[in-house]
Amino acid sequence: GQQLNQSPQSMFIQEGEDVSMNCTSSSIFNTWLWYKQDPGEGPVLLIALYKAGELTSNGRLTAQFGITRKDSFLNISASIPSDVGIYFCAGQLVGGSNYKLTFGKGTLLTVNP
Amino acid sequence: NAGVTQTPKFQVLKTGQSMTLQCAQDMNHEYMSWYRQDPGMGLRLIHYSVGAGITDQGEVPNGYNVSRSTTEDFPLRLLSAAPSQTSVYFCASSNPGTSVTDTQYFGPGTRLTVL
């Protein structure tokens, strides 16, 4: 099935550093989503992107929908310990619907205080 | 407003046993989906429903059955559990549309181990 290539797989950073992660696909998506999953919990939506080129912020988080519609990135500025978790990108294919998302394999973020 | 709830939170089964994972949502969402999460694999879609009485297969449907008799509930049934079904299962719900409020909301998950 369709897969999203998410990188990096894991990151170990110091508190205060900025973080960047991205997702790429061979297919075109009409929606890109970024979720965060805390241990023992379900994914929680961070940012949703609906237009190519769109740049959206949510506090210290910024995400962009790539111009080619085949990629997206998420930046976290000035990381804090509570940023620890797994970050997933998810996409909705053209002609698809929001009940049928394709997920990346996740980026595990560890923040050292 | 509880959102999406799942029960049980943990379950251990023996190979061949059957069970039902429960999912309920109180947001009046039309769409509901079941995903499984395995280490290093992200989330993969098992089954989904676009409304009461309507279900369809996702990417990895084998070994699972679903039904949607009400808008609120979407149970996932394992008819004969296998070790390969050891995973964390997430239920999600959403409404049709292309705004932030229409995106999928996830439950807390059910952690299933099949021995």
Side-chain angles (χ1 to χ4, degrees):
Chain A
Q2 173 64 37
Q3 288 189 352
L4 296 181
N5 298 311
Q6 185 171 350
S7 64
Q9 286 187 333
S10 62
M11 302 182 73
F12 295 85
I13 63 171
Q14 293 296 125
E15 182 177 359
E17 290 184 353
D18 297 343
V19 172
S20 184
M21 59 191 78
N22 69 83
C23 272
T24 60
S25 172
S26 57
S27 298
I28 294 174
F29 287 88
N30 62 12
T31 300
W32 282 96
L33 307 169
W34 285 93
Y35 287 87
K36 183 193 177 197
Q37 184 179 27
D38 291 325
E41 302 293 332
V44 174
L45 182 68
L46 297 174
I47 292 180
L49 303 159
Y50 298 100
K51 295 180 182 178
E54 180 181 355
L55 185 71
T56 298
S57 293
N58 178 6
R60 294 178 295 105
L61 278 63
T62 301
Q64 184 160 29
F65 191 143
I67 292 292
T68 64
R69 300 171 70 186
K70 294 182 179 181
D71 63 317
S72 176
F73 73 75
L74 174 70
N75 287 340
I76 305 173
S77 63
S79 59
I80 59 178
S82 62
D83 290 335
V84 166
I86 303 176
Y87 292 79
F88 289 100
C89 62
Q92 179 181 322
L93 289 167
V94 174
S97 183
N98 62 18
Y99 53 74
K100 216 172 181 180
L101 297 179
T102 301
F103 281 81
K105 295 183 179 181
T107 295
L108 174 61
L109 178 64
T110 303
V111 179
N112 295 319
Chain B
N1 192 333
V4 180
T5 58
Q6 292 183 239
T7 56
K9 197 165 180 67
F10 300 95
Q11 183 71 50
V12 178
L13 293 177
K14 294 181 180 178
T15 297
Q17 285 185 315
S18 63
M19 80 158 295
T20 299
L21 280 63
Q22 302 292 343
C23 174
Q25 53 93 6
D26 61 359
M27 297 174 283
N28 203 31
H29 283 169
E30 288 187 39
Y31 298 161
M32 296 187 76
S33 304
W34 275 102
Y35 294 85
R36 61 178 288 173
Q37 183 180 27
D38 301 298
M41 294 294 293
L43 281 79
R44 292 182 292 169
L45 184 64
I46 305 172
H47 285 285
Y48 63 92
S49 169
V50 300
I54 307 170
T55 64
D56 207 344
Q57 296 180 350
E59 181 185 354
V60 287
N62 292 341
Y64 307 96
N65 280 350
V66 292
S67 60
R68 183 106 179 265
S69 56
T70 67
T71 300
E72 295 78 19
D73 301 298
F74 191 42
L76 178 72
R77 280 183 289 275
L78 284 71
L79 299 179
S80 179
S84 60
Q85 294 179 304
T86 294
S87 187
V88 182
Y89 292 86
F90 289 102
C91 178
S93 72
S94 61
N95 267 334
T98 54
S99 70
V100 171
T101 56
D102 298 322
T103 54
Q104 284 195 328
Y105 291 83
F106 284 82
T110 293
R111 283 141 190 86
L112 175 68
T113 301
V114 182
L115 303 175

